[in-house]
Amino acid sequence: MIQARGLGKRYGDVPAVDNLSFDVRPGVVTGFLGPNGAGKSTTMRLMLGLDHGSGRTLFDGQTYAELADPLRSVGVMLDARAVHPKRTAIGHLRMIAAGAGIHEDRVDAVLGMVGLADVAGKRAGGFSLGMQQRLGLAAALLGDPATLILDEPANGLDPEGVRWLRELLKGLARQGRTVFVSSHLLNEMAHLADSLIVIGAGRLLAAESVAEFVGRN
Ligand code: ADP
Ligand code: ADP
């Protein structure tokens, strides 16, 4: 369960995120929809305390900064392209796992989950955007977290990749996890998500099921 309250951030006079409050329930995939520039990435960064701003976000009752073992509580993918190009997929994941005291067996498990087992020893610099997204997802899943925060994870995936992502995210949600995933494409969201938080110009426009939202738009 995520409870975001009064999130706000201004760049000069312009509010990027404007007093935004919402809940994200476990057990379903919740989409975070809004056009480019609506404030989705800024909101996710505020939720995690990575940006200065106002408001507070609780993950199962604790702020991100209060989590004793963040990787095992909240899995995050904000920018899939952040992996060093010379690092191999498995090397990247092993480094994160080692830093968090996560057993190496889990690295193989998440590589399998995201379909990268065959290219585990290849360098990330040669990866397509879709493969980089899969690697970013693998890193987010390393700690087997109760909550996932994923910024535009379908970016760069082909239609088959989006179908695969939907099955993965729905499976994770069905296990009782809280899954919060952004996109600027309603069509993509209609495939990925069960429920929607919709923002425009940093403000909440709707919080309802995908079926309700699509029915009205
Ligand atoms: P989204 O993720 O929905 O595309 P962002 O959160 O990236 O939106 O951006 C929200 C708004 O904040 C946009 O108008 C963007 O131009 C502005 N913005 C984001 N980062 C900065 C920054 N570092 N400096 C100034 N304005 C920014
Ligand atoms: P399965 O029976 O298929 O293994 P489970 O429901 O037992 O599925 O969960 C699989 C994994 O998901 C476990 O490792 C568990 O820690 C994790 N998990 C499931 N629900 C939650 C939850 N609400 N919070 C944190 N982790 C969860």
Side-chain angles (χ1 to χ4, degrees):
M1 173 80 170
I2 303 173
Q3 296 161 293
R5 295 291 177 270
L7 299 182
K9 166 104 189 155
R10 308 179 74 86
Y11 289 108
D13 282 346
V14 186
V17 177
D18 194 359
N19 194 25
L20 196 56
S21 299
F22 55 86
D23 289 344
V24 184
R25 289 180 295 121
V28 293
V29 178
T30 300
F32 191 31
L33 178 69
N36 281 324
K40 303 182 297 299
S41 297
T42 305
T43 299
M44 286 180 161
R45 295 179 57 83
L46 286 169
M47 292 168 75
L48 299 164
L50 297 173
D51 252 349
H52 288 295
S54 48
R56 188 162 98 123
T57 303
L58 299 181
F59 301 93
D60 295 325
Q62 291 183 296
T63 65
Y64 190 77
E66 287 166 351
L67 298 171
D69 203 348
L71 232 61
R72 288 192 168 81
S73 303
V74 182
V76 177
M77 183 179 85
L78 293 183
D79 184 359
R81 289 155 299 185
V83 179
H84 193 284
K86 290 206 166 150
R87 208 159 266 146
T88 63
I90 197 165
H92 174 67
L93 296 173
R94 278 184 178 156
M95 185 188 63
I96 298 170
I102 291 168
H103 198 275
E104 271 203 19
D105 289 354
R106 182 70 189 159
V107 169
D108 297 327
V110 296
L111 280 165
M113 283 175 80
V114 303
L116 289 181
D118 290 348
V119 294
K122 297 239 189 311
R123 291 178 181 200
F127 281 9
S128 67
L129 181 55
M131 289 162 82
Q132 293 176 58
Q133 295 281 16
R134 287 171 189 260
L135 182 54
L137 260 172
L141 290 167
L142 262 183
D144 197 9
T147 300
L148 284 165
I149 307 275
L150 308 173
D151 197 3
E152 301 268 1
N155 220 344
L157 297 182
D158 57 20
E160 194 193 330
V162 175
R163 279 195 290 277
W164 162 81
L165 182 64
R166 173 182 58 191
E167 291 313 309
L168 179 72
L169 297 183
K170 291 204 166 156
L172 291 165
R174 263 185 249 114
Q175 292 171 343
R177 288 173 226 263
T178 303
V179 181
F180 190 50
V181 35
S182 75
S183 172
H184 60 286
L185 301 170
L186 173 57
N187 185 36
E188 191 177 276
M189 270 312 183
H191 284 98
L192 285 181
D194 306 298
S195 182
L196 285 180
I197 307 286
V198 186
I199 65 167
R203 293 190 186 201
L204 187 70
L205 297 181
E208 60 195 350
S209 73
V210 167
E212 285 171 306
F213 186 80
V214 169
R216 289 194 297 102
N217 289 273

